[in-house]
Amino acid sequence: MSDSTTPSERSGRPGGPGRPVRSGRPRTVLLRGGEVHSPADPFATAMVVEGDSIAWVGSEGAADSFADGVDEVVHLDGALVTPAFTDAHVHTTATGLALTGLDLSGARSPAEALARIREYAGARPGERVLLGHGWDSTDWPGGRPPTRAELDEATGGRPLYLTRVDVHSALVTTALLDLLPAATDVTALPGRHGDAPLTGAAHHAVRALAHASVTPAQRAEAQRAALRHAAAHGIGTLHECAGPDISGADDLTGLLALAAEEPGPRVVGYWAELVTSAADAGRVRELGAVGAAGDLFADGSLGSHTAHLHAPYADADHRGTGLLDAGAVAAHVAACTEAGLQAGFHAIGDAALSTVTEGVRAAAGRVGTGRVRAARHRIEHAEMLTPDTVAAFAEFALTASVQPAFDAAWGGEDGMYARRLGRERARTLNPYAALLRAGVPLAFGSDSPVTPLDPWGALRAAAFHRTPGHRISVRAAFTAHTRGGWRAIGRDDAGVLVPGAPADYALWRTGDLVVQVPDDRIAAWSTDPRSGTPGLPDLTPGRELPVCLRTVVAGRTVYEHPNE
């Protein structure tokens, strides 16, 4: 890939290798000599960007007529151009802290985790509270995490807050508990069970304490690290799922301000707090959030045994915890609908999803089904769906904001889902094909740092779901990870490369383009251009995923691959 520009416009490449590029004013740019993924022209090889919008998409021959009238020509050298991805569920600061801090993902035993903790603590003698993420004891010897005494020894008696991979439980040291205010008796809070990982209210109390230790400078640097990482993966928009029990108002407002001031991915904010009045809705808007949604918890997670189920867990003698009832759901949805504000919930277990859909139905009875549908309320994760709850999603036009990497990580006959639920129930999880057949809008995300920012990996996970009946085509998955996120915030004109759409796009180095559908027919792998369907990279497991060469948001380059 190469560029040509007039000397007055550019002399050298701004920014450093692999870093966001501080480009100047938006210009008119012609991209040519590649593959442009556009429904406007399935054979397009060129595109013109004018300012912050797509101006034209077409063939190489027609591109000649634009070449002399643009400020910049980008010779794609066969690169693929796609809309930038939208990640519809992210925790940006936590992602940045995981990228720059103590990462226990991949640790294979308590001993390995403790060794990493010991090394990390030794390298940071001045940090008041040590923060880490990503442990998962499911496959560790004995299935146990480190004990508190072991953590105390590894840290030298220092405060440590260490979230499980699903972020719904945490390990802490005695020194961190000792920092809690005298009025907070963590032993009396729900979610404290001896030496076990903290969940529920006990977890929220220590999380607030740990996050309070992060200075504004540390927080901003973590946010920048996460935004840089997203841009390097072709992500142009992030939906930040914030809330009082997750990250705090200062974290959300600081992130939105930083994203508005510095080149990088767009950030759309959600605030997870119940709304019962116009005044409540006004406070959500004052924070800069587009909705009272995201991780507004109706339950917890399967990994931490806190998702709310109709029948007990296969490996525990309880059904998890429901955090909202249908009345609270109905009041929230009705108030948000009347205020013109998007509502939404975190719901994973089948009982939680039944509660949410029952509440949405009650709200529709109060304010009208048409108004509820028009508001595009959304449900995060929506893993343990039934035919009835899928039908309710379709009836009320609820967006399913889902994370295909969850199935890749925990699905399958011997995965964490099967251990928690038994194989039969586990096979019902994340039914993307059923959602699409019912007409439910899908928006894909990562829930980072729970799973990585990796959009092509998410597409592969959806197209090659561990339960074959839940698989969807790569094209449908691609739409859910591009247009789906924009539609989830009420924008139907974005996330696609057509004239008039925002100039949010990414350039990719990839292999042959194919049209993949979720079955074993030879036609599933068609490369015949007569199909009139734009191709996408072959995501068959084992093949290399595309490499991002450049990410552009609103016409401005925010990432450029080293040496490109």
Side-chain angles (χ1 to χ4, degrees), residues 447-524:
D447 198 12
S448 181
V450 175
T451 63
L453 296 167
D454 178 16
W456 290 111
L459 268 58
R460 173 181 283 171
F464 295 91
H465 198 294
R466 291 178 181 271
T467 303
H470 297 333
R471 293 174 179 172
I472 61 176
S473 70
V474 170
R475 183 183 182 191
F478 181 80
T479 298
H481 223 332
T482 51
R483 298 193 77 175
W486 283 97
R487 287 170 169 166
I489 60 170
R491 289 282 302 273
D492 294 330
D493 61 337
V496 62
L497 301 181
V498 297
D504 290 18
Y505 60 92
L507 312 186
W508 305 92
R509 182 172 64 241
T510 187
D512 292 338
L513 305 183
V514 299
V515 178
Q516 285 176 301
V517 297
D519 59 36
D520 295 327
R521 296 172 301 161
I522 293 175

Side-chain angles (χ1 to χ4, degrees), residues 55 67 94 116 137 146 204 266 288-289 318 326 352 390 411 438 484:
R116 292 192 194 184
S137 60
H204 294 164
R266 304 172 191 263
H318 62 84
V390 168

Side-chain angles (χ1 to χ4, degrees), residues 8 32 68 72 100 102 111 122 129 132 134 137 149 163 248 256 264 293 306 375 444 459 478 501 528 554 556 559:
S8 63
R32 64 184 307 178
D68 292 336
E72 179 182 356
T100 59
L102 173 56
V129 175
S137 60
T163 49
L256 294 177
T306 52
F444 279 2
L459 268 58
F478 181 80
D528 187 346
R556 296 177 181 269
Y559 169 79

Side-chain angles (χ1 to χ4, degrees), residues 169-394:
S169 57
L171 298 169
V172 298
T173 55
T174 303
L176 183 67
L177 295 177
D178 289 343
L179 293 178
L180 287 166
T184 302
D185 180 7
V186 72
T187 62
L189 292 175
R192 170 74 187 272
H193 305 287
D195 204 32
L198 300 177
T199 62
H203 178 209
H204 294 164
V206 297
R207 175 162 54 190
L209 174 66
H211 285 177
S213 73
V214 178
T215 68
Q218 287 175 313
R219 182 174 62 207
E221 185 49 42
Q223 291 169 348
R224 289 189 181 97
L227 294 175
R228 286 195 298 266
H229 191 68
H233 285 77
I235 297 170
T237 301
L238 302 173
H239 293 186
E240 167 67 15
C241 292
D245 291 329
I246 302 165
S247 53
D250 289 346
D251 185 88
L252 174 62
T253 56
L255 172 63
L256 294 177
L258 184 147
E261 293 166 1
E262 300 182 7
R266 304 172 191 263
V267 177
V268 177
Y270 284 94
W271 184 248
E273 192 165 12
L274 286 171
V275 168
T276 58
S277 66
D280 291 343
R283 284 194 293 272
V284 172
R285 287 196 173 96
E286 286 172 4
L287 292 173
V290 301
D295 276 335
L296 181 48
F297 297 119
D299 68 345
S301 74
L302 291 166
S304 292
H305 290 99
T306 52
H308 191 204
L309 312 182
H310 282 304
Y313 284 87
D315 60 351
D317 60 354
H318 62 84
R319 298 184 298 117
T321 306
L323 302 176
L324 296 172
D325 60 26
V329 170
H332 178 70
V333 172
C336 287
T337 303
E338 290 179 328
L341 191 67
Q342 198 174 23
F345 305 90
H346 160 122
I348 286 179
D350 53 359
L353 286 158
S354 293
T355 296
V356 167
T357 52
E358 180 185 345
V360 172
R361 186 175 301 281
R366 299 180 196 176
V367 302
T369 298
R371 292 180 69 190
V372 168
R373 288 178 59 87
R376 304 193 188 192
H377 303 310
R378 54 189 283 170
I379 311 300
E380 310 302 313
H381 315 310
E383 292 200 79
M384 206 172 173
L385 290 157
T386 66
D388 286 344
T389 49
V390 168
F393 271 53

Side-chain angles (χ1 to χ4, degrees), residues 120-137:
Y120 185 85
R124 290 161 178 79
E127 290 189 10
R128 180 169 178 261
V129 175
L130 301 169
L131 304 174
H133 169 73
W135 62 271
D136 184 356
S137 60

